[in-house]
Amino acid sequence: MESREMYDEINALVGTVAKALDTSEMEVVTAIEQGRLGMEMQTDDEGRNFLQVSFDDRNVRIYQGAIFREGDKPDAEDEECGGGGCSCGH
């Protein structure tokens, strides 16, 4: 078992960011090291917490169980998602 503090949590975060950006975990780590990737905890208008991620010219919001990508269009059937554009599986 890994003994470094928060190793599993950070590894999960990097994996989630890579999935949200549709890139590799190594690319995420490299972008962080180069200062090309920014992350900020925020709260939306409905009081839900999310992680705002900016990478080069892409922006995504990562919620618990959902990823919203800038520029995604909601499906007409996806109104339960609060506007759609997410990958929550609805």
Side-chain angles (χ1 to χ4, degrees), residues 27-75:
E27 179 65 22
V28 169
V29 171
T30 301
I32 291 169
E33 290 171 344
Q34 295 174 345
R36 295 174 25 233
L37 189 140
M39 292 184 276
E40 183 179 355
M41 291 295 299
Q42 295 184 1
T43 304
D44 66 15
D45 295 337
E46 297 179 17
R48 297 176 297 183
N49 295 324
F50 66 92
L51 181 66
Q52 177 70 41
V53 178
S54 57
F55 173 63
D56 293 339
D57 61 346
R58 294 183 275 175
N59 291 294
V60 296
R61 287 184 175 192
I62 302 173
Y63 289 84
Q64 181 72 34
I67 297 169
F68 291 84
R69 294 177 179 94
E70 188 175 272
D72 282 353
K73 301 289 184 206
D75 293 335

Side-chain angles (χ1 to χ4, degrees), residues 3-32:
S3 63
R4 293 179 278 189
E5 186 175 345
M6 303 286 296
Y7 180 84
D8 292 333
E9 291 85 352
I10 293 169
N11 194 35
L13 174 63
V14 168
T16 300
V17 170
K19 178 180 178 183
L21 294 170
D22 195 27
T23 191
S24 71
E25 292 178 8
M26 186 55 75
E27 179 65 22
V28 169
V29 171
T30 301
I32 291 169

